Amino acid sequence: MLVSASMVIAMLADAATATPKKDKNDPDRLICRKEPLIGSLTRFTRTCHTKREWEEMGNAARRDQQALRERSMSSSSN
């Protein structure tokens, strides 16, 4: 009886600590990236955001880059 009770407790503990697998396409999946610290060759900082947040930041950077490109083209043609 003691052996089976301890096995049940161990299985419940494993089930409680197990993380559910998330789909790679889930927009709420947390993604962490290591980014180098400026001024250091060996130190990194870890930045975590959801997949949706990373996509929004990438889209904003592309929009800013396109706007800068358009402004530089319009000022050079004058």
Side-chain angles (χ1 to χ4, degrees):
M1 181 89 164
L2 287 175
V3 173
S4 62
S6 63
M7 290 177 78
V8 169
I9 291 172
M11 288 189 322
L12 289 174
D14 286 341
T17 59
T19 56
K21 295 205 176 210
K22 288 198 171 189
D23 181 24
K24 283 189 173 185
N25 296 324
D26 181 14
D28 294 324
R29 183 173 60 102
L30 191 63
I31 300 172
C32 296
R33 295 180 181 168
K34 284 181 10 180
E35 299 173 345
L37 277 174
I38 294 180
S40 174
L41 297 175
T42 58
R43 293 185 59 200
F44 292 88
T45 183
R46 185 175 165 158
T47 305
C48 298
H49 294 284
T50 63
K51 182 176 185 206
R52 180 181 296 131
E53 291 171 334
W54 283 114
E55 289 172 353
E56 288 173 0
M57 288 187 289
N59 290 337
R62 281 187 285 282
R63 281 192 305 270
D64 292 345
Q65 187 179 33
Q66 182 64 29
L68 182 62
R69 200 176 304 131
E70 290 172 359
R71 273 187 265 146
S72 68
M73 293 296 284
S74 66
S75 65
S76 65
S77 64
N78 287 337

